[in-house]
Amino acid sequence: VQLQASGGGLVQAGESLTLSCAASGRGFRINDMGWYRQSPGKERELVATITSEGTTNYGVSVQGFSRISMDWAKKTVFLQMNSLRPEDTAVYYCNARWMYYGRSYVHESWGQGTQVTVSS
């Protein structure tokens, strides 16, 4: 399973940005998808995840500012980020946990990362 992320870029503080990530491959279903981010010198941290049941989970630093959604038919996850701040500057990584149909082993894939830069 390949993950292709898009939507990163340079924005001004206070603006909004939407990231998307599409999963591609054959014969698999998604258990959950989400986003993580990493700034220079910091560990990768959770931004948001969404499960196949629709349960969402947000990192403390983005709660109230972001919304994750999923187009299950297209296996594409979206992350809408509002009121962006310079501290949101990071490389954002898409993540998916998935299974082949008829199998029980859960695989994990990561996207290539997309840079989000918020200027003050």
Side-chain angles (χ1 to χ4, degrees):
V1 171
Q2 302 291 324
L3 301 180
Q4 182 64 48
S6 61
L10 172 64
V11 296
Q12 299 283 333
E15 293 183 341
S16 300
L17 194 67
T18 298
L19 305 180
S20 63
C21 177
S24 62
R26 301 183 66 177
F28 72 100
R29 72 175 185 87
I30 299 289
N31 285 15
D32 57 77
M33 289 188 77
W35 294 91
Y36 294 75
R37 69 185 185 186
Q38 188 167 20
S39 304
K42 295 186 178 181
E43 294 186 353
R44 190 171 296 189
E45 65 172 351
L46 167 71
V47 179
T49 60
I50 183 168
T51 72
S52 57
E53 291 80 26
T55 301
T56 57
N57 183 36
Y58 292 90
V60 174
S61 60
V62 300
Q63 285 181 349
F65 298 99
S66 298
R67 179 176 179 273
I68 191 169
S69 60
M70 185 83 186
D71 183 335
W72 292 102
K74 295 182 178 180
K75 294 177 178 172
T76 300
V77 64
F78 302 93
L79 179 69
Q80 180 181 344
M81 298 185 289
N82 303 312
S83 303
L84 284 161
R85 306 155 294 179
E87 52 264 43
D88 294 315
T89 295
V91 177
Y92 285 70
Y93 295 93
C94 177
N95 172 271
R97 294 192 298 173
W98 54 275
M99 296 168 24
Y100 285 114
Y101 291 122
R103 304 290 180 89
S104 60
Y105 183 79
V106 179
H107 299 263
E108 185 173 37
S109 295
W110 289 91
Q112 80 281 13
T114 184
Q115 176 71 45
V116 173
T117 303
V118 184
S119 62
S120 58

